[in-house]
Amino acid sequence: MSPAATVERVWKAEPPQREMLKLDGVDELLFGGAKGGGKSDGLLIFSIRRRTKFPGSSGLIIRREFADLVKEGALIPRSKELLTGIAQYNEQQHKWRFADGGVIEFGHAKSEHDILGYQGAQYDDVCVDQLEQFTEWQYRILHSVARTTRKDLKPLLRATANPGDVGHAWVKAYFIDVAPPRTPFVDAETGLTRMFIPATLRDNPHLNKEYVQWLQSLPEPWRSAWVDGRWDVFIGQYFSPWKAQAPYVCEPFDLPLQWPRWMAYDWGSASPAWWGWFCRAPWGTIYLYRELYHAIQEPQSHRWVGTGLTVDRQAEAAKAAMLPDEVAAPCYAGGDVFTRSGQTGETNADVAGRAGISMVMAMTNRVQGWQRLKRAFQIRPVDRLGVTAEEPELVIFSTCAHIIRTLPIVATNPRDMEDIADGQEDHPVDGLRYGMSTVFAATSTQPPVVLGPPRAS
């Protein structure tokens, strides 16, 4: 018997961790909710336990960024506390290898497409730490690598998460909303079972007092999400006051042809492309009254991807969506539309211009653009030619389904709170930013009514 085989470690599970470790019959399991609930430790023990139970098996533990695996108290340092002397760790490969051939590998996928590096790989189980930092598409890719040829074990997926970040909406819909906690849900599409096991701050008695006090002192909604693990609040929602209802959304109505109109365009071919049509009322309110989204949703990953249309075909579709006598110009677009081709020397803006859509470069400073949108969503009193109303500067027609779907789930970049996070479906909101962030020169002979305080009733 090798010396490593005589080494033992004692690890005591708290009740939610013990519950999670016993559910070997559930294909997919989300563990957590609140911060400090012992989620990561439970995930690590799950993987170690699988290697012990199934000699020679392999497991992947993955985080969005490698830095989050190696910082003090994170998964790799913690694994060294538990496995040194029991297995051999390869620093270059970030991999533990057991004497019987079993493997625990640590991985990361910082960019959206880094996850493609795992396609074709095969692991007997996959653990995703902080699933809310991943997109649904990334999770679906990881889902495909949890597979095995062994008859003695079942491939499993385990994940931890807190409310918030880019994955909040899809994680909530996929794990939280489908069934009550601790209740198995059978996916009709895949036949696989999944379950949510909550863990809260109170489930981990090992947390230091200062960390607990800091969490409990947080303002709402952070306290409800991170202390109580509530998923009905969205931490990191960038446009937090915006809701898919009045006064931000209205039913379509006939817009007078004399009201100034313009367009916005976010280019994409392999990725989605978005067109938006805007109209400004005499009292200053801007209506987004039409959108066109060149995108399809992949059935397995649920990711919205581009249709592959070239810019001339997209411009033709945009022209076809307009009324015969409609004039909406100019069309504001991002800088990529004005980049000259190395082969033809022309830009996508040139191509769209031949199709009858005049392109103008939008103000492309992201942070200023997002702030412009936030101001446009603030409720303010307006004088509608003698009638006082309370409404935001920007109102969206209910028929603009994709901007309404994506606006409330746009997440803040946790490393730059003034910007939105990368790796989310941001094509509609980018187009909206282009259309709203450029100073609009009104062509109407009737100037906007000066805004003032509400009229007395």
Side-chain angles (χ1 to χ4, degrees):
M1 181 179 294
S2 66
T6 65
V7 178
E8 293 184 357
R9 298 284 189 275
V10 177
W11 183 86
K12 181 181 178 182
E14 300 303 326
Q17 295 170 330
R18 188 179 303 112
E19 184 179 11
M20 182 267 287
L21 293 170
K22 288 181 177 179
L23 292 169
D24 289 339
V26 177
D27 298 293
E28 303 172 73
L29 190 143
L30 178 69
F31 177 53
K35 284 185 175 290
K39 305 183 301 297
S40 298
D41 226 37
L43 212 61
L44 181 58
I45 292 298
F46 165 82
S47 189
I48 295 173
R49 179 175 174 269
R50 289 272 287 184
R51 307 293 77 78
T52 304
K53 188 175 181 178
F54 301 103
S57 62
S58 62
L60 172 68
I61 302 178
I62 188 168
R63 282 215 53 165
R64 186 72 190 248
E65 296 200 33
F66 181 72
D68 292 324
L69 285 168
V70 295
K71 62 187 178 183
E72 188 67 28
L75 281 163
I76 289 179
R78 178 62 172 145
S79 73
K80 292 179 179 180
E81 294 177 6
L82 295 171
L83 289 175
T84 298
I86 296 175
Q88 295 295 318
Y89 186 67
N90 186 308
E91 293 284 355
Q92 285 69 44
Q93 298 179 347
H94 316 302
K95 185 183 297 185
W96 286 100
R97 186 171 296 279
F98 294 75
D100 57 23
V103 169
I104 296 177
E105 178 181 336
F106 293 98
H108 66 285
K110 182 175 181 179
S111 74
E112 178 79 352
H113 291 282
D114 284 347
I115 207 73
L116 294 176
Y118 293 93
Q119 277 189 315
Q122 180 174 303
Y123 300 95
D124 298 302
D125 44 78
V126 174
C127 296
V128 187
D129 198 27
Q130 304 303 143
L131 183 61
E132 80 281 359
Q133 296 176 359
F134 292 78
T135 64
E136 184 174 8
W137 174 67
Q138 289 177 308
Y139 179 69
R140 297 279 182 164
I141 295 295
L142 292 173
H143 201 290
S144 70
V145 305
R147 53 199 176 93
T148 186
T149 57
R150 294 178 55 159
K151 304 296 185 182
D152 61 331
L153 61 77
K154 177 179 184 177
L156 300 177
L157 292 104
R158 295 295 181 263
T160 69
N162 298 123
D165 219 307
V166 297
H168 176 98
W170 81 260
V171 172
K172 181 175 182 291
Y174 192 79
F175 282 103
I176 312 298
D177 294 342
V178 293
R182 301 180 174 86
T183 303
F185 172 80
V186 180
D187 192 312
E189 180 181 327
T190 64
L192 300 178
T193 56
R194 59 181 182 265
M195 185 187 296
F196 170 54
I197 301 294
T200 69
L201 190 70
R202 290 170 284 276
D203 294 317
N204 188 355
H206 307 293
L207 292 175
N208 64 66
K209 181 180 178 181
E210 290 74 20
Y211 182 67
V212 173
Q213 289 176 337
W214 173 76
L215 286 173
Q216 292 178 334
S217 69
L218 291 173
E220 295 294 353
W222 287 269
R223 188 185 184 284
S224 292
W226 289 350
V227 175
D228 301 324
R230 286 179 50 185
W231 287 86
D232 56 342
V233 295
F234 185 176
I235 298 301
Q237 182 183 23
Y238 194 83
F239 300 106
S240 54
W242 197 91
K243 296 179 175 61
Q245 62 190 40
Y248 302 102
V249 175
C250 74
E251 293 303 312
F253 61 93
D254 291 333
L255 299 166
L257 290 176
Q258 67 269 27
W259 288 5
R261 303 179 186 218
W262 68 101
M263 297 170 62
Y265 176 53
D266 183 60
W267 152 248
S269 181
S271 59
W274 184 87
W275 300 87
W277 283 259
F278 301 78
C279 182
R280 186 172 187 172
W283 52 85
T285 299
I286 295 171
Y287 295 94
L288 175 69
Y289 64 92
R290 182 189 299 128
E291 70 170 2
L292 177 61
Y293 201 31
H294 297 294
I296 55 174
Q297 190 175 29
E298 293 178 333
Q300 294 299 319
S301 70
H302 297 273
R303 183 176 64 135
W304 288 89
V305 297
T307 58
L309 287 178
T310 54
V311 68
D312 54 334
R313 295 303 179 103
Q314 292 183 18
E316 291 168 3
K319 287 290 290 185
M322 300 171 66
L323 300 174
D325 52 356
E326 184 178 358
V327 177
C331 180
Y332 296 107
D336 54 350
V337 175
F338 298 88
T339 302
R340 295 199 175 277
S341 166
Q343 294 180 332
T344 66
E346 66 178 355
T347 68
N348 281 342
D350 296 331
V351 176
R354 290 203 303 270
I357 296 180
S358 175
M359 294 281 184
V360 173
M361 187 179 295
M363 190 274 286
T364 54
N365 184 290
R366 287 170 59 88
V367 171
Q368 291 182 20
W370 301 135
Q371 291 302 310
R372 173 70 182 96
L373 273 182
K374 284 188 173 183
R375 293 196 301 273
F377 292 140
Q378 293 175 352
I379 306 297
R380 85 278 196 255
V382 297
D383 187 340
R384 290 191 176 189
L385 306 180
V387 178
T388 298
E390 296 273 341
E391 63 187 17
E393 181 187 4
L394 176 62
V395 179
I396 299 172
F397 276 19
S398 62
T399 48
C400 298
H402 294 288
I403 192 66
I404 290 173
R405 174 177 59 82
T406 54
L407 258 174
I409 60 174
V410 172
T412 302
N413 185 341
R415 291 164 183 79
D416 182 358
M417 301 299 286
E418 302 300 332
D419 200 357
I420 69 170
D422 295 328
Q424 53 188 323
E425 190 186 355
D426 55 8
H427 310 285
V429 293
D430 272 334
L432 190 67
R433 171 168 60 90
Y434 296 150
M436 290 295 296
S437 62
T438 305
V439 176
F440 176 69
T443 57
S444 171
T445 57
Q446 184 176 14
V449 175
V450 177
L451 304 183
R455 292 173 177 266
S457 57

